[in-house]
Amino acid sequence: MLCATSRFLAATALRAQPRGRGPAPRCRRRELHFPGHPELPLCDFLTGQLGRPSVPAGRRAILRRGRMPPAVGGGLAGSELRVRRGRCGSQAARAVGPDVAVEAAARSHKRPAPGSRHFEAAGRWALLALVTLLSFATRFHRLDEPPHICWDETHFGKMGSYYINRTFFFDVHPPLGKFCASLGSLLVPFAYLTVLELSKSLPAALLTAALLTFDTGCLTLSQYILLDPILMFFIMAAMLSMVKYNSCADRPFSAPWWFWLSLTGINLAGALGVKFVGLFIIVQVGWNTISDLWHLFGDLSLSLVTVGKHLTARILCLIVLPLALYTATYAVHFMVLNKSGPGDGFFSSAFQARLSGNNLHNASIPEHLAYGSVITVKNLRMAIGYLHSHRHLYPEGVGARQQQVTTYLHKDYNNLWIIKKHNTNSDPLDPSFPVEFVRHGDIIRLEHKETSRNLHSHYHEAPLTRKHYQVTGYGINGTGDSNDFWRIEVVNRKFGNRIKVLRSRIRFIHLVTGCVLGSSGKVLPKWGWEQLEVTCTPYLKETLNSIWNVEDHINPKLPNISLDVLQPSFPEILLESHMVMIRGNNGLKPKDNEFTSKPWHWPINYQGLRFSGINDTDFRVYLLGNPVVWWLNLLSIALYLLSGSIIAVAMQRGARLPPEVEGLSQVLLRGGGQLLLGWTLHYFPFFLMGRILYFHHYFPAMLFSSMLTGVLWDTLLRLCAWSLASSSLARGIHAVGIVSLLLGAAYSFYLFHPLAYGMVGPLAQDPRSPMAGLRWLESWDF
């Protein structure tokens, strides 16, 4: 690397000159071949493919106004001089001129024989098969261990049974990931093909494949029923199809172009359909598309009609198609899950009315609320739940030591309340009493059916929300005090109006303090069973947190009406489900004995995640990246920023670089820039997130950093080899460097593989442990 840097700096020290008329720069012929083109010496290939042609300045101006490659992601397919096929081909040929045509003809005799090309293609397919086989072998080895469920398999395995039974459930992620089997083994060949397309270098692609194959973290994620390998599959598939359609830019609207463009849209829908993290790859593809369209718009040889066709094709394949597929996954999801289940309470009453087995499905209940009715009261803010109480008291020091009142997301008998008049204890359901409806502005009492305590508030501070008042259950057999009285109001209605079940939006105003009953949405500690806090807020502003509706309604003295008219449309269901998922994501809390992490921990492999086992006798699986691979990736990012900045500044200043350096620089800036963008988009947004974060959230970014490592080190080694006079020594340096990195990754995998495949026995501090001496950081808790 040092020799490459010194050689490059010497080249950039040359006086910057305008590129005018004159012969193409000459270079020493070496037997160092450019990746993907072994039949041509590196100098000849770069001079023909990436070197600046010997074209008069006027003609060069015409070329520069022509079709330019996408800003990133095209690899060597994007050269400044691109001859178009089809209608535009003749225009490009005329713009190039006879001198370039002669030069191209002079090089035509160097093309390899058909047999040589077939042999090279067969070799590439053989390497791809080897990479794929090794990936599957490492992922399927000891797949049946451990025999018990690990970490989030508890949730996602259970969700599979819900689909089989068609039972509705709630998850904070979109539904597509639950339909798929583990696809983690295909990440390695996808990364191999992506790097090969970006760099045209087999060594770079092989190095990338080795880094991902021998990473213990990727292996661990791929062996369990988790969403992460499925998400990464679609991210990598979208990345691969994007660079493939970039490489077809000289054949627009051809069958391969349409295929890869459409496949990109399909994979974008898949990534977003598994987790919302899929938005990051959508941003990357969107940036690439905007850049491509901008260059097309500047191509004066293209008519506006042709530019419009390009724009329409991308709208159809990258916007309409993904949205249609994404929406279709939800349609299938809701069609399959049509039975009531544990997720009902997260959704609105109207949503629940469509679920078979729910007490609201095809139900007939009294329409208007009356005294003596047994009801459930549901908060209108998504994922808040039902007004709830239980026999447990608030702990010492948390307001008054009275019965807890919370909101609970699930159906439960402790959600039932009896609505009574504030000034009498007589039973309204007594047949001798006439039916009396509850009206807007009435003063009422809500008596908890299971414990016979009244809904109560006072001037004590709420448990979690300062300046709000505590809400409790108080009294004995419905007898309490004046702090149990509430005025019921229907939002946007006049005094005297009846209250309709499900339809009326109501508020409860505490008569003594004047505060409004609501839920802060904050999760109570373990003493509150991690249910949501209920408070009485003195701020009377109308928000969804303080607005409720009556859902269940039992009153034998009233006639019933059908609730079929309440079932929502599909757009309403789709919108509501997304609102609930977003809120659910923000409210996630860590489980017992679970280590959360911060984004700055991830690239340095600071702390892993225990999947299974904490004792010597347990089968222990620990999610930790291969430290050699991860720290090499981190070093590569720093080196890329340094070397890429030097190269970009030199090229911007017009420094005359040798053709070999210029060609490799294009690979590094374009291909490496696309990968660095992917790493940035999949890493830095986590710093802005307020939700709980885990180590596994970094793995999509880790895929991009590994691909960047493959491109960077292959390029640096080639630059170092180019600076030497001996071609045999140059090939040797490049080969030794690549092989050393491959062996380093493989050997470190041999050392750390017990973390991924599982181990039983003493901990790492014990000399008898297979991991003894490998706890390089104190934060590694295996």
Side-chain angles (χ1 to χ4, degrees), residues 484-497:
D484 303 339
F485 301 158
W486 302 82
R487 184 172 68 253
I488 187 169
E489 294 183 353
V490 181
V491 177
N492 298 327
R493 292 297 178 95
K494 297 179 180 179
F495 282 86
N497 283 2

Side-chain angles (χ1 to χ4, degrees), residues 30-50 74-78 107 110-112 116-117 120-121 124 196-203 664 667 718:
R30 304 184 185 278
E31 295 304 318
L32 177 63
H33 299 311
F34 193 83
H37 297 267
E39 72 278 10
L40 290 178
L42 178 62
C43 171
D44 290 344
F45 177 80
L46 291 174
T47 305
Q49 298 285 339
L50 288 173
L76 292 179
R107 292 194 303 268
K110 298 178 182 178
R111 294 176 180 173
S116 174
R117 289 199 300 270
E120 180 187 351
R124 291 184 178 223
L196 186 61
E197 189 65 43
L198 289 173
S199 67
K200 305 299 182 186
S201 171
L202 281 174
L664 292 171
V667 172
R718 288 185 182 278

Side-chain angles (χ1 to χ4, degrees), residues 17 47 112 197 231 254 306 351 359 370 439 517 719 744 759:
Q17 298 177 358
T47 305
E197 189 65 43
L231 169 69
S254 63
T306 303
F351 185 98
N359 60 333
R439 299 178 183 273
L517 181 72
L719 285 172
M759 53 188 174

Side-chain angles (χ1 to χ4, degrees), residues 59 61 67 70 80 96 130 134 207-208 257 271 282 310 335 352 382 412 425 450 489 515 604 665 672 694 746 761:
R59 293 179 181 175
R67 168 74 168 94
E80 274 194 43
V96 168
L130 176 63
L134 187 59
L207 179 57
T208 297
W257 187 88
I282 291 177
H310 277 277
M335 186 184 304
Q352 296 178 42
M382 300 298 178
D412 191 274
N425 284 323
E450 293 296 308
E489 294 183 353
C515 60
I604 61 176
S665 299
Y694 296 100

Side-chain angles (χ1 to χ4, degrees), residues 553-567:
H553 185 205
I554 303 170
N555 193 319
K557 297 175 69 175
L558 295 175
N560 295 334
I561 63 166
S562 175
L563 298 182
D564 290 344
V565 296
L566 296 178
Q567 294 191 18

Side-chain angles (χ1 to χ4, degrees), residues 83-94:
V83 179
R84 283 189 209 87
R85 301 182 184 179
R87 290 189 305 166
C88 301
S90 59
Q91 297 176 7
R94 288 193 299 269

Side-chain angles (χ1 to χ4, degrees), residues 269-291:
L272 186 60
V274 176
K275 279 188 175 184
F276 289 135
V277 175
L279 285 170
F280 302 150
I281 190 65
I282 291 177
V283 172
Q284 181 162 13
V285 173
W287 175 257
N288 178 81
T289 303
I290 292 172
S291 175

Side-chain angles (χ1 to χ4, degrees), residues 680-759:
T680 301
L681 288 175
H682 286 83
Y683 174 51
F684 285 102
F686 286 100
F687 284 93
L688 306 177
M689 294 185 184
R691 57 154 292 170
I692 183 174
L693 297 174
Y694 296 100
F695 176 50
H696 69 92
H697 288 134
Y698 181 70
F699 278 84
M702 183 266 178
L703 297 177
F704 287 93
S705 64
S706 296
M707 290 189 287
L708 179 61
T709 298
V711 172
L712 175 75
W713 287 95
D714 176 71
T715 304
L716 291 182
L717 288 170
R718 288 185 182 278
L719 285 172
C720 188
W722 164 82
S723 65
L724 299 174
S726 171
S727 59
S728 59
L729 181 59
R731 290 196 300 269
I733 287 178
H734 181 263
V736 169
I738 295 295
V739 170
S740 299
L741 293 172
L742 294 175
L743 293 178
Y747 182 68
S748 60
F749 174 76
Y750 166 76
L751 293 177
F752 286 93
H753 77 274
L755 296 177
Y757 290 124
M759 53 188 174

